[in-house]
Amino acid sequence: MFEALISSKTRIKILLKFFLNGNSVAYLRGLEEEFGDSTNSIRIELNKFEKAGFLKSYTEGNKKLFKANKDHLLFHDIQQMLMKITGINHLVDYVLQHIGNLEKVYLVGKLSKGLESSEIELVFVGDINITYLEELIAKAEKKLNKKITFICYKPEDFRLDEIRKNGIDPLLIWNR
């Protein structure tokens, strides 16, 4: 769907990378490896985004690092648009309408890193009826035409620092 609005695949990758997870930081060569695109096409797009004020850059050693400008007037609008296009907003709203004891929802996996993915990976924290959640997820998968995987934690069992120790960097997308 996004490709119909924006024809540059590199531009789409940059939007996902920096605006889906506003905490993402990257440099040109790292993006080249991650995206599998040429440094020239990535550099052109980074420069356009920086010139427009959507990205900020700073130097660390010999690397020029980029990150989203969260203070930009359109940052949250772009982020919400990406959440809608990837189906994350719809999924969370759908689950929230049917499960009242949900405390937090985290996005993990490729999408949380701002990479394109046909799969949505989530962590739910709350006192949740997992059987019912599985039914809701199955319906959401059909509606979104995406594979959805999830893990549930009771609030007393959830330890964000333990998850991060396992190399997973969750992105909080909903908090009660």
Side-chain angles (χ1 to χ4, degrees), residues 2 5-6 8-22 24 35 45-46 49 54-55 68 74-75 78-79 81-82 85 111 113-116:
F2 215 34
L5 293 172
I6 301 174
S8 168
K9 291 189 185 304
T10 303
R11 191 171 302 145
I12 292 170
K13 291 174 185 177
I14 288 173
L15 281 168
L16 287 170
K17 176 71 179 177
F18 293 106
F19 287 87
L20 197 56
N21 181 349
S24 289
F35 295 168
E45 294 300 335
L46 288 172
F49 277 104
F54 290 112
L55 294 179
L74 298 176
F75 174 81
I78 293 170
Q79 189 175 53
M81 182 178 70
L82 290 170
I85 288 172
L111 280 175
K113 296 174 184 163
L115 301 173
E116 290 181 274

PDB file of all heavy atoms in Angstrom, residues 2 5-6 8-22 24 35 45-46 49 54-55 68 74-75 78-79 81-82 85 111 113-116:
ATOM      1  N   PHE A   2       1.917   1.222   0.797  1.00  0.00           N
ATOM      2  CA  PHE A   2       2.802   2.370   0.915  1.00  0.00           C
ATOM      3  C   PHE A   2       3.468   2.689  -0.414  1.00  0.00           C
ATOM      4  O   PHE A   2       3.707   3.848  -0.727  1.00  0.00           O
ATOM      5  CB  PHE A   2       3.840   2.060   1.991  1.00  0.00           C
ATOM      6  CG  PHE A   2       4.262   3.247   2.805  1.00  0.00           C
ATOM      7  CD1 PHE A   2       3.384   4.269   3.121  1.00  0.00           C
ATOM      8  CD2 PHE A   2       5.554   3.330   3.271  1.00  0.00           C
ATOM      9  CE1 PHE A   2       3.787   5.341   3.878  1.00  0.00           C
ATOM     10  CE2 PHE A   2       5.966   4.403   4.038  1.00  0.00           C
ATOM     11  CZ  PHE A   2       5.075   5.406   4.339  1.00  0.00           C
ATOM     12  N   LEU A   5       1.872   5.240  -2.626  1.00  0.00           N
ATOM     13  CA  LEU A   5       2.024   6.641  -2.243  1.00  0.00           C
ATOM     14  C   LEU A   5       3.439   7.156  -2.472  1.00  0.00           C
ATOM     15  O   LEU A   5       3.633   8.288  -2.887  1.00  0.00           O
ATOM     16  CB  LEU A   5       1.684   6.821  -0.757  1.00  0.00           C
ATOM     17  CG  LEU A   5       0.238   6.600  -0.356  1.00  0.00           C
ATOM     18  CD1 LEU A   5       0.115   6.627   1.157  1.00  0.00           C
ATOM     19  CD2 LEU A   5      -0.655   7.635  -0.982  1.00  0.00           C
ATOM     20  N   ILE A   6       4.420   6.301  -2.161  1.00  0.00           N
ATOM     21  CA  ILE A   6       5.819   6.700  -2.257  1.00  0.00           C
ATOM     22  C   ILE A   6       6.542   5.682  -3.117  1.00  0.00           C
ATOM     23  O   ILE A   6       6.625   4.506  -2.759  1.00  0.00           O
ATOM     24  CB  ILE A   6       6.466   6.777  -0.857  1.00  0.00           C
ATOM     25  CG1 ILE A   6       5.706   7.792   0.002  1.00  0.00           C
ATOM     26  CG2 ILE A   6       7.933   7.138  -0.960  1.00  0.00           C
ATOM     27  CD1 ILE A   6       6.161   7.852   1.436  1.00  0.00           C
ATOM     28  N   SER A   8       9.776   5.532  -4.039  1.00  0.00           N
ATOM     29  CA  SER A   8      11.152   5.200  -3.683  1.00  0.00           C
ATOM     30  C   SER A   8      11.175   4.173  -2.550  1.00  0.00           C
ATOM     31  O   SER A   8      10.771   4.461  -1.426  1.00  0.00           O
ATOM     32  CB  SER A   8      11.912   6.454  -3.245  1.00  0.00           C
ATOM     33  OG  SER A   8      13.133   6.100  -2.644  1.00  0.00           O
ATOM     34  N   LYS A   9      11.658   2.980  -2.846  1.00  0.00           N
ATOM     35  CA  LYS A   9      11.754   1.936  -1.819  1.00  0.00           C
ATOM     36  C   LYS A   9      12.731   2.343  -0.718  1.00  0.00           C
ATOM     37  O   LYS A   9      12.506   2.043   0.456  1.00  0.00           O
ATOM     38  CB  LYS A   9      12.163   0.612  -2.448  1.00  0.00           C
ATOM     39  CG  LYS A   9      11.089   0.010  -3.333  1.00  0.00           C
ATOM     40  CD  LYS A   9      11.456  -1.392  -3.757  1.00  0.00           C
ATOM     41  CE  LYS A   9      10.484  -1.991  -4.733  1.00  0.00           C
ATOM     42  NZ  LYS A   9       9.119  -2.045  -4.328  1.00  0.00           N
ATOM     43  N   THR A  10      13.783   3.037  -1.076  1.00  0.00           N
ATOM     44  CA  THR A  10      14.746   3.505  -0.082  1.00  0.00           C
ATOM     45  C   THR A  10      14.085   4.508   0.857  1.00  0.00           C
ATOM     46  O   THR A  10      14.285   4.459   2.070  1.00  0.00           O
ATOM     47  CB  THR A  10      15.977   4.141  -0.768  1.00  0.00           C
ATOM     48  OG1 THR A  10      16.552   3.179  -1.644  1.00  0.00           O
ATOM     49  CG2 THR A  10      17.009   4.593   0.243  1.00  0.00           C
ATOM     50  N   ARG A  11      13.277   5.398   0.318  1.00  0.00           N
ATOM     51  CA  ARG A  11      12.575   6.389   1.146  1.00  0.00           C
ATOM     52  C   ARG A  11      11.620   5.693   2.121  1.00  0.00           C
ATOM     53  O   ARG A  11      11.526   6.070   3.292  1.00  0.00           O
ATOM     54  CB  ARG A  11      11.813   7.373   0.260  1.00  0.00           C
ATOM     55  CG  ARG A  11      11.284   8.565   1.031  1.00  0.00           C
ATOM     56  CD  ARG A  11      10.729   9.631   0.102  1.00  0.00           C
ATOM     57  NE  ARG A  11      11.753  10.061  -0.829  1.00  0.00           N
ATOM     58  CZ  ARG A  11      11.512  10.405  -2.098  1.00  0.00           C
ATOM     59  NH1 ARG A  11      10.283  10.365  -2.567  1.00  0.00           N
ATOM     60  NH2 ARG A  11      12.481  10.795  -2.878  1.00  0.00           N
ATOM     61  N   ILE A  12      10.940   4.657   1.650  1.00  0.00           N
ATOM     62  CA  ILE A  12      10.031   3.902   2.519  1.00  0.00           C
ATOM     63  C   ILE A  12      10.817   3.240   3.650  1.00  0.00           C
ATOM     64  O   ILE A  12      10.416   3.288   4.809  1.00  0.00           O
ATOM     65  CB  ILE A  12       9.245   2.846   1.709  1.00  0.00           C
ATOM     66  CG1 ILE A  12       8.265   3.547   0.766  1.00  0.00           C
ATOM     67  CG2 ILE A  12       8.506   1.885   2.637  1.00  0.00           C
ATOM     68  CD1 ILE A  12       7.613   2.621  -0.242  1.00  0.00           C
ATOM     69  N   LYS A  13      11.948   2.648   3.320  1.00  0.00           N
ATOM     70  CA  LYS A  13      12.780   1.994   4.334  1.00  0.00           C
ATOM     71  C   LYS A  13      13.260   2.995   5.377  1.00  0.00           C
ATOM     72  O   LYS A  13      13.287   2.694   6.575  1.00  0.00           O
ATOM     73  CB  LYS A  13      13.970   1.290   3.677  1.00  0.00           C
ATOM     74  CG  LYS A  13      13.574   0.075   2.860  1.00  0.00           C
ATOM     75  CD  LYS A  13      14.773  -0.498   2.120  1.00  0.00           C
ATOM     76  CE  LYS A  13      14.377  -1.637   1.204  1.00  0.00           C
ATOM     77  NZ  LYS A  13      15.519  -2.152   0.419  1.00  0.00           N
ATOM     78  N   ILE A  14      13.619   4.181   4.939  1.00  0.00           N
ATOM     79  CA  ILE A  14      14.083   5.216   5.870  1.00  0.00           C
ATOM     80  C   ILE A  14      12.933   5.681   6.761  1.00  0.00           C
ATOM     81  O   ILE A  14      13.113   5.859   7.973  1.00  0.00           O
ATOM     82  CB  ILE A  14      14.744   6.385   5.111  1.00  0.00           C
ATOM     83  CG1 ILE A  14      16.098   5.921   4.557  1.00  0.00           C
ATOM     84  CG2 ILE A  14      14.919   7.614   6.009  1.00  0.00           C
ATOM     85  CD1 ILE A  14      16.784   6.913   3.654  1.00  0.00           C
ATOM     86  N   LEU A  15      11.771   5.863   6.183  1.00  0.00           N
ATOM     87  CA  LEU A  15      10.604   6.237   6.996  1.00  0.00           C
ATOM     88  C   LEU A  15      10.336   5.192   8.065  1.00  0.00           C
ATOM     89  O   LEU A  15      10.140   5.525   9.240  1.00  0.00           O
ATOM     90  CB  LEU A  15       9.362   6.408   6.107  1.00  0.00           C
ATOM     91  CG  LEU A  15       9.249   7.712   5.342  1.00  0.00           C
ATOM     92  CD1 LEU A  15       8.137   7.633   4.299  1.00  0.00           C
ATOM     93  CD2 LEU A  15       8.987   8.871   6.294  1.00  0.00           C
ATOM     94  N   LEU A  16      10.318   3.931   7.664  1.00  0.00           N
ATOM     95  CA  LEU A  16      10.068   2.861   8.634  1.00  0.00           C
ATOM     96  C   LEU A  16      11.157   2.827   9.705  1.00  0.00           C
ATOM     97  O   LEU A  16      10.863   2.692  10.894  1.00  0.00           O
ATOM     98  CB  LEU A  16       9.994   1.508   7.921  1.00  0.00           C
ATOM     99  CG  LEU A  16       8.736   1.257   7.101  1.00  0.00           C
ATOM    100  CD1 LEU A  16       8.892   0.009   6.247  1.00  0.00           C
ATOM    101  CD2 LEU A  16       7.504   1.142   7.994  1.00  0.00           C
ATOM    102  N   LYS A  17      12.382   2.949   9.278  1.00  0.00           N
ATOM    103  CA  LYS A  17      13.523   2.871  10.204  1.00  0.00           C
ATOM    104  C   LYS A  17      13.466   3.945  11.285  1.00  0.00           C
ATOM    105  O   LYS A  17      13.632   3.662  12.465  1.00  0.00           O
ATOM    106  CB  LYS A  17      14.842   3.001   9.419  1.00  0.00           C
ATOM    107  CG  LYS A  17      16.085   3.020  10.269  1.00  0.00           C
ATOM    108  CD  LYS A  17      16.356   1.666  10.871  1.00  0.00           C
ATOM    109  CE  LYS A  17      17.619   1.655  11.700  1.00  0.00           C
ATOM    110  NZ  LYS A  17      17.819   0.364  12.315  1.00  0.00           N
ATOM    111  N   PHE A  18      13.232   5.173  10.876  1.00  0.00           N
ATOM    112  CA  PHE A  18      13.336   6.279  11.823  1.00  0.00           C
ATOM    113  C   PHE A  18      12.009   6.726  12.432  1.00  0.00           C
ATOM    114  O   PHE A  18      12.007   7.311  13.515  1.00  0.00           O
ATOM    115  CB  PHE A  18      14.023   7.477  11.170  1.00  0.00           C
ATOM    116  CG  PHE A  18      15.469   7.223  10.848  1.00  0.00           C
ATOM    117  CD1 PHE A  18      15.877   7.006   9.546  1.00  0.00           C
ATOM    118  CD2 PHE A  18      16.421   7.182  11.853  1.00  0.00           C
ATOM    119  CE1 PHE A  18      17.211   6.768   9.243  1.00  0.00           C
ATOM    120  CE2 PHE A  18      17.758   6.940  11.568  1.00  0.00           C
ATOM    121  CZ  PHE A  18      18.156   6.728  10.257  1.00  0.00           C
ATOM    122  N   PHE A  19      10.893   6.471  11.764  1.00  0.00           N
ATOM    123  CA  PHE A  19       9.631   6.997  12.272  1.00  0.00           C
ATOM    124  C   PHE A  19       8.751   5.955  12.940  1.00  0.00           C
ATOM    125  O   PHE A  19       7.945   6.296  13.784  1.00  0.00           O
ATOM    126  CB  PHE A  19       8.860   7.717  11.164  1.00  0.00           C
ATOM    127  CG  PHE A  19       9.485   9.028  10.810  1.00  0.00           C
ATOM    128  CD1 PHE A  19      10.489   9.108   9.863  1.00  0.00           C
ATOM    129  CD2 PHE A  19       9.094  10.194  11.443  1.00  0.00           C
ATOM    130  CE1 PHE A  19      11.088  10.308   9.546  1.00  0.00           C
ATOM    131  CE2 PHE A  19       9.684  11.413  11.146  1.00  0.00           C
ATOM    132  CZ  PHE A  19      10.687  11.462  10.192  1.00  0.00           C
ATOM    133  N   LEU A  20       8.906   4.692  12.596  1.00  0.00           N
ATOM    134  CA  LEU A  20       8.153   3.670  13.309  1.00  0.00           C
ATOM    135  C   LEU A  20       8.701   3.551  14.718  1.00  0.00           C
ATOM    136  O   LEU A  20       7.969   3.483  15.682  1.00  0.00           O
ATOM    137  CB  LEU A  20       8.242   2.332  12.569  1.00  0.00           C
ATOM    138  CG  LEU A  20       7.208   1.290  12.953  1.00  0.00           C
ATOM    139  CD1 LEU A  20       5.793   1.819  12.783  1.00  0.00           C
ATOM    140  CD2 LEU A  20       7.379   0.042  12.112  1.00  0.00           C
ATOM    141  N   ASN A  21      10.019   3.543  14.827  1.00  0.00           N
ATOM    142  CA  ASN A  21      10.682   3.575  16.132  1.00  0.00           C
ATOM    143  C   ASN A  21      11.495   4.863  16.187  1.00  0.00           C
ATOM    144  O   ASN A  21      12.590   4.931  15.641  1.00  0.00           O
ATOM    145  CB  ASN A  21      11.588   2.356  16.314  1.00  0.00           C
ATOM    146  CG  ASN A  21      12.265   2.336  17.665  1.00  0.00           C
ATOM    147  OD1 ASN A  21      12.233   3.303  18.411  1.00  0.00           O
ATOM    148  ND2 ASN A  21      12.889   1.222  17.980  1.00  0.00           N
ATOM    149  N   GLY A  22      10.951   5.866  16.815  1.00  0.00           N
ATOM    150  CA  GLY A  22      11.585   7.179  16.874  1.00  0.00           C
ATOM    151  C   GLY A  22      12.919   7.206  17.602  1.00  0.00           C
ATOM    152  O   GLY A  22      13.611   8.214  17.573  1.00  0.00           O
ATOM    153  N   SER A  24      15.390   5.083  16.905  1.00  0.00           N
ATOM    154  CA  SER A  24      16.409   4.489  16.035  1.00  0.00           C
ATOM    155  C   SER A  24      17.498   5.494  15.697  1.00  0.00           C
ATOM    156  O   SER A  24      17.225   6.659  15.431  1.00  0.00           O
ATOM    157  CB  SER A  24      15.788   4.009  14.721  1.00  0.00           C
ATOM    158  OG  SER A  24      14.995   2.883  14.936  1.00  0.00           O
ATOM    159  N   PHE A  35      19.651  -2.351   4.620  1.00  0.00           N
ATOM    160  CA  PHE A  35      18.694  -2.237   3.527  1.00  0.00           C
ATOM    161  C   PHE A  35      19.094  -3.033   2.287  1.00  0.00           C
ATOM    162  O   PHE A  35      18.248  -3.394   1.482  1.00  0.00           O
ATOM    163  CB  PHE A  35      18.526  -0.774   3.088  1.00  0.00           C
ATOM    164  CG  PHE A  35      17.924   0.144   4.121  1.00  0.00           C
ATOM    165  CD1 PHE A  35      17.955   1.514   3.913  1.00  0.00           C
ATOM    166  CD2 PHE A  35      17.328  -0.326   5.280  1.00  0.00           C
ATOM    167  CE1 PHE A  35      17.402   2.396   4.830  1.00  0.00           C
ATOM    168  CE2 PHE A  35      16.776   0.542   6.212  1.00  0.00           C
ATOM    169  CZ  PHE A  35      16.812   1.902   5.978  1.00  0.00           C
ATOM    170  N   GLU A  45      18.581  10.192   0.043  1.00  0.00           N
ATOM    171  CA  GLU A  45      17.344  10.259   0.830  1.00  0.00           C
ATOM    172  C   GLU A  45      17.597  10.820   2.228  1.00  0.00           C
ATOM    173  O   GLU A  45      16.817  11.627   2.729  1.00  0.00           O
ATOM    174  CB  GLU A  45      16.689   8.874   0.919  1.00  0.00           C
ATOM    175  CG  GLU A  45      16.196   8.335  -0.400  1.00  0.00           C
ATOM    176  CD  GLU A  45      15.148   9.186  -1.086  1.00  0.00           C
ATOM    177  OE1 GLU A  45      14.424   9.960  -0.405  1.00  0.00           O
ATOM    178  OE2 GLU A  45      15.050   9.097  -2.325  1.00  0.00           O
ATOM    179  N   LEU A  46      18.690  10.405   2.863  1.00  0.00           N
ATOM    180  CA  LEU A  46      19.021  10.949   4.187  1.00  0.00           C
ATOM    181  C   LEU A  46      19.191  12.461   4.128  1.00  0.00           C
ATOM    182  O   LEU A  46      18.692  13.192   4.999  1.00  0.00           O
ATOM    183  CB  LEU A  46      20.301  10.293   4.729  1.00  0.00           C
ATOM    184  CG  LEU A  46      20.206   8.840   5.177  1.00  0.00           C
ATOM    185  CD1 LEU A  46      21.597   8.287   5.490  1.00  0.00           C
ATOM    186  CD2 LEU A  46      19.286   8.685   6.371  1.00  0.00           C
ATOM    187  N   PHE A  49      15.776  14.154   3.824  1.00  0.00           N
ATOM    188  CA  PHE A  49      15.057  14.140   5.097  1.00  0.00           C
ATOM    189  C   PHE A  49      15.687  15.115   6.095  1.00  0.00           C
ATOM    190  O   PHE A  49      14.979  15.791   6.830  1.00  0.00           O
ATOM    191  CB  PHE A  49      15.035  12.727   5.697  1.00  0.00           C
ATOM    192  CG  PHE A  49      13.942  11.856   5.148  1.00  0.00           C
ATOM    193  CD1 PHE A  49      14.220  10.866   4.221  1.00  0.00           C
ATOM    194  CD2 PHE A  49      12.632  12.004   5.568  1.00  0.00           C
ATOM    195  CE1 PHE A  49      13.216  10.050   3.718  1.00  0.00           C
ATOM    196  CE2 PHE A  49      11.617  11.198   5.079  1.00  0.00           C
ATOM    197  CZ  PHE A  49      11.905  10.214   4.150  1.00  0.00           C
ATOM    198  N   PHE A  54      13.229  16.513   9.024  1.00  0.00           N
ATOM    199  CA  PHE A  54      12.658  15.276   9.559  1.00  0.00           C
ATOM    200  C   PHE A  54      13.700  14.445  10.316  1.00  0.00           C
ATOM    201  O   PHE A  54      13.355  13.688  11.204  1.00  0.00           O
ATOM    202  CB  PHE A  54      12.054  14.424   8.441  1.00  0.00           C
ATOM    203  CG  PHE A  54      10.810  15.001   7.852  1.00  0.00           C
ATOM    204  CD1 PHE A  54      10.809  15.480   6.553  1.00  0.00           C
ATOM    205  CD2 PHE A  54       9.637  15.064   8.587  1.00  0.00           C
ATOM    206  CE1 PHE A  54       9.656  16.009   5.995  1.00  0.00           C
ATOM    207  CE2 PHE A  54       8.484  15.600   8.042  1.00  0.00           C
ATOM    208  CZ  PHE A  54       8.491  16.077   6.740  1.00  0.00           C
ATOM    209  N   LEU A  55      14.959  14.578   9.924  1.00  0.00           N
ATOM    210  CA  LEU A  55      16.048  13.869  10.587  1.00  0.00           C
ATOM    211  C   LEU A  55      17.041  14.865  11.149  1.00  0.00           C
ATOM    212  O   LEU A  55      17.218  15.948  10.602  1.00  0.00           O
ATOM    213  CB  LEU A  55      16.788  12.937   9.610  1.00  0.00           C
ATOM    214  CG  LEU A  55      16.054  11.751   9.040  1.00  0.00           C
ATOM    215  CD1 LEU A  55      16.954  10.981   8.075  1.00  0.00           C
ATOM    216  CD2 LEU A  55      15.545  10.825  10.132  1.00  0.00           C
ATOM    217  N   ALA A  68      15.567  10.406  14.049  1.00  0.00           N
ATOM    218  CA  ALA A  68      14.367  11.186  13.759  1.00  0.00           C
ATOM    219  C   ALA A  68      14.337  12.446  14.604  1.00  0.00           C
ATOM    220  O   ALA A  68      14.764  12.451  15.759  1.00  0.00           O
ATOM    221  CB  ALA A  68      13.114  10.354  14.024  1.00  0.00           C
ATOM    222  N   LEU A  74       5.466  17.261  12.135  1.00  0.00           N
ATOM    223  CA  LEU A  74       4.787  16.115  11.533  1.00  0.00           C
ATOM    224  C   LEU A  74       5.266  14.756  12.053  1.00  0.00           C
ATOM    225  O   LEU A  74       4.773  13.716  11.591  1.00  0.00           O
ATOM    226  CB  LEU A  74       4.956  16.155  10.011  1.00  0.00           C
ATOM    227  CG  LEU A  74       4.345  17.367   9.315  1.00  0.00           C
ATOM    228  CD1 LEU A  74       4.664  17.342   7.831  1.00  0.00           C
ATOM    229  CD2 LEU A  74       2.839  17.402   9.535  1.00  0.00           C
ATOM    230  N   PHE A  75       6.194  14.733  13.000  1.00  0.00           N
ATOM    231  CA  PHE A  75       6.742  13.456  13.463  1.00  0.00           C
ATOM    232  C   PHE A  75       5.647  12.484  13.897  1.00  0.00           C
ATOM    233  O   PHE A  75       5.575  11.349  13.435  1.00  0.00           O
ATOM    234  CB  PHE A  75       7.747  13.651  14.606  1.00  0.00           C
ATOM    235  CG  PHE A  75       8.205  12.349  15.201  1.00  0.00           C
ATOM    236  CD1 PHE A  75       9.196  11.605  14.585  1.00  0.00           C
ATOM    237  CD2 PHE A  75       7.613  11.843  16.355  1.00  0.00           C
ATOM    238  CE1 PHE A  75       9.601  10.388  15.101  1.00  0.00           C
ATOM    239  CE2 PHE A  75       8.018  10.626  16.886  1.00  0.00           C
ATOM    240  CZ  PHE A  75       9.008   9.901  16.255  1.00  0.00           C
ATOM    241  N   ILE A  78       3.374  11.260  11.024  1.00  0.00           N
ATOM    242  CA  ILE A  78       4.035  10.259  10.177  1.00  0.00           C
ATOM    243  C   ILE A  78       4.101   8.925  10.914  1.00  0.00           C
ATOM    244  O   ILE A  78       3.819   7.871  10.340  1.00  0.00           O
ATOM    245  CB  ILE A  78       5.444  10.732   9.752  1.00  0.00           C
ATOM    246  CG1 ILE A  78       5.320  11.929   8.813  1.00  0.00           C
ATOM    247  CG2 ILE A  78       6.216   9.597   9.083  1.00  0.00           C
ATOM    248  CD1 ILE A  78       6.638  12.627   8.518  1.00  0.00           C
ATOM    249  N   GLN A  79       4.429   8.969  12.190  1.00  0.00           N
ATOM    250  CA  GLN A  79       4.508   7.740  12.979  1.00  0.00           C
ATOM    251  C   GLN A  79       3.145   7.040  13.027  1.00  0.00           C
ATOM    252  O   GLN A  79       3.059   5.828  12.839  1.00  0.00           O
ATOM    253  CB  GLN A  79       4.998   8.062  14.386  1.00  0.00           C
ATOM    254  CG  GLN A  79       5.320   6.828  15.201  1.00  0.00           C
ATOM    255  CD  GLN A  79       5.912   7.177  16.547  1.00  0.00           C
ATOM    256  OE1 GLN A  79       5.344   7.967  17.300  1.00  0.00           O
ATOM    257  NE2 GLN A  79       7.048   6.581  16.859  1.00  0.00           N
ATOM    258  N   MET A  81       0.729   7.331  10.854  1.00  0.00           N
ATOM    259  CA  MET A  81       0.439   6.834   9.507  1.00  0.00           C
ATOM    260  C   MET A  81       1.154   5.496   9.284  1.00  0.00           C
ATOM    261  O   MET A  81       0.564   4.553   8.752  1.00  0.00           O
ATOM    262  CB  MET A  81       0.882   7.858   8.466  1.00  0.00           C
ATOM    263  CG  MET A  81       0.572   7.446   7.040  1.00  0.00           C
ATOM    264  SD  MET A  81       1.045   8.692   5.834  1.00  0.00           S
ATOM    265  CE  MET A  81       2.820   8.595   5.919  1.00  0.00           C
ATOM    266  N   LEU A  82       2.408   5.405   9.704  1.00  0.00           N
ATOM    267  CA  LEU A  82       3.149   4.146   9.558  1.00  0.00           C
ATOM    268  C   LEU A  82       2.531   3.035  10.397  1.00  0.00           C
ATOM    269  O   LEU A  82       2.480   1.883   9.970  1.00  0.00           O
ATOM    270  CB  LEU A  82       4.615   4.347   9.941  1.00  0.00           C
ATOM    271  CG  LEU A  82       5.428   5.194   8.969  1.00  0.00           C
ATOM    272  CD1 LEU A  82       6.783   5.537   9.565  1.00  0.00           C
ATOM    273  CD2 LEU A  82       5.596   4.489   7.637  1.00  0.00           C
ATOM    274  N   ILE A  85      -0.482   1.916   8.405  1.00  0.00           N
ATOM    275  CA  ILE A  85      -0.125   1.192   7.187  1.00  0.00           C
ATOM    276  C   ILE A  85       0.388  -0.208   7.513  1.00  0.00           C
ATOM    277  O   ILE A  85       0.075  -1.162   6.812  1.00  0.00           O
ATOM    278  CB  ILE A  85       0.908   1.990   6.358  1.00  0.00           C
ATOM    279  CG1 ILE A  85       0.208   3.202   5.724  1.00  0.00           C
ATOM    280  CG2 ILE A  85       1.554   1.126   5.295  1.00  0.00           C
ATOM    281  CD1 ILE A  85       1.137   4.175   5.055  1.00  0.00           C
ATOM    282  N   LEU A 111       9.800  -5.045  12.692  1.00  0.00           N
ATOM    283  CA  LEU A 111       9.078  -3.766  12.655  1.00  0.00           C
ATOM    284  C   LEU A 111       9.537  -2.826  13.762  1.00  0.00           C
ATOM    285  O   LEU A 111       9.612  -1.618  13.560  1.00  0.00           O
ATOM    286  CB  LEU A 111       7.572  -3.991  12.746  1.00  0.00           C
ATOM    287  CG  LEU A 111       6.872  -4.408  11.461  1.00  0.00           C
ATOM    288  CD1 LEU A 111       5.396  -4.717  11.727  1.00  0.00           C
ATOM    289  CD2 LEU A 111       6.998  -3.346  10.390  1.00  0.00           C
ATOM    290  N   LYS A 113      12.397  -2.440  14.792  1.00  0.00           N
ATOM    291  CA  LYS A 113      13.677  -1.879  14.367  1.00  0.00           C
ATOM    292  C   LYS A 113      13.522  -0.998  13.135  1.00  0.00           C
ATOM    293  O   LYS A 113      14.494  -0.493  12.599  1.00  0.00           O
ATOM    294  CB  LYS A 113      14.662  -3.010  14.081  1.00  0.00           C
ATOM    295  CG  LYS A 113      15.001  -3.811  15.303  1.00  0.00           C
ATOM    296  CD  LYS A 113      15.855  -4.998  14.953  1.00  0.00           C
ATOM    297  CE  LYS A 113      16.085  -5.827  16.213  1.00  0.00           C
ATOM    298  NZ  LYS A 113      16.554  -7.160  15.900  1.00  0.00           N
ATOM    299  N   GLY A 114      12.276  -0.853  12.671  1.00  0.00           N
ATOM    300  CA  GLY A 114      12.032  -0.016  11.508  1.00  0.00           C
ATOM    301  C   GLY A 114      12.322  -0.719  10.199  1.00  0.00           C
ATOM    302  O   GLY A 114      12.560  -0.069   9.193  1.00  0.00           O
ATOM    303  N   LEU A 115      12.282  -2.042  10.203  1.00  0.00           N
ATOM    304  CA  LEU A 115      12.521  -2.798   8.978  1.00  0.00           C
ATOM    305  C   LEU A 115      11.201  -3.331   8.438  1.00  0.00           C
ATOM    306  O   LEU A 115      10.284  -3.647   9.203  1.00  0.00           O
ATOM    307  CB  LEU A 115      13.470  -3.975   9.256  1.00  0.00           C
ATOM    308  CG  LEU A 115      14.834  -3.603   9.815  1.00  0.00           C
ATOM    309  CD1 LEU A 115      15.601  -4.858  10.190  1.00  0.00           C
ATOM    310  CD2 LEU A 115      15.616  -2.790   8.802  1.00  0.00           C
ATOM    311  N   GLU A 116      11.113  -3.457   7.133  1.00  0.00           N
ATOM    312  CA  GLU A 116       9.914  -4.003   6.533  1.00  0.00           C
ATOM    313  C   GLU A 116       9.740  -5.443   6.973  1.00  0.00           C
ATOM    314  O   GLU A 116      10.703  -6.195   7.079  1.00  0.00           O
ATOM    315  CB  GLU A 116      10.004  -3.955   5.007  1.00  0.00           C
ATOM    316  CG  GLU A 116       9.932  -2.556   4.447  1.00  0.00           C
ATOM    317  CD  GLU A 116       9.998  -2.561   2.938  1.00  0.00           C
ATOM    318  OE1 GLU A 116      11.120  -2.570   2.416  1.00  0.00           O
ATOM    319  OE2 GLU A 116       8.928  -2.565   2.315  1.00  0.00           O
TER     320      GLU A 116
END
